Amino acid sequence: MVEFTNAVAGEPIEYRMAEQSTLALSRGSKGFFAMGNLNRDFETSLPDGEYCDIISECQQKIQVHNFSWAKAVD
C-alpha cells in the first residue's frame, strides 16, 4: 500500500464507494483501489488500458474502458 500511496500522492479522490462488503476509491488518473467483492463494475477516472492488481502481485489484471468502468479480467 505504500507504493500505491506514493504513486497517487496529491491526486484528489474522484470516486468512492462503500457498500456491503466492497470498498473502492479512485485517485485522479493515477490510481484506483478496491477490496471486497471485485466481481463487479466500478467507476474510475483511469485512462483506458489494462492494469496490474498489485495486491495479487499482478496475477489478476483489471481492464478499464471509456474512463468509467473497471472490471476484473479472468
Side-chain angles (χ1 to χ4, degrees), residues 4-33:
F4 176 81
T5 301
N6 290 338
V8 300
E11 291 292 311
I13 295 175
E14 295 182 348
Y15 167 79
R16 74 183 96 199
M17 187 263 292
E19 60 184 43
Q20 297 172 338
S21 63
T22 305
L23 173 67
L25 62 92
S26 180
R27 294 290 305 264
S29 62
K30 292 188 176 181
F32 182 80
F33 172 82

Side-chain angles (χ1 to χ4, degrees), residues 21-55:
S21 63
T22 305
L23 173 67
L25 62 92
S26 180
R27 294 290 305 264
S29 62
K30 292 188 176 181
F32 182 80
F33 172 82
M35 61 184 257
N37 178 11
L38 303 180
N39 191 22
R40 57 176 294 153
D41 291 336
F42 294 97
E43 292 182 38
T44 177
S45 54
L46 294 173
D48 290 358
E50 187 174 273
Y51 292 85
C52 173
D53 173 5
I54 61 172
I55 301 299

Side-chain angles (χ1 to χ4, degrees), residues 52-61:
C52 173
D53 173 5
I54 61 172
I55 301 299
S56 72
E57 297 180 351
C58 298
Q59 295 298 312
Q60 183 176 21
K61 304 291 183 180

Side-chain angles (χ1 to χ4, degrees), residues 62-73:
I62 306 297
Q63 188 69 41
V64 175
H65 182 66
N66 290 333
F67 293 96
S68 56
W69 299 102
K71 197 172 203 178
V73 177

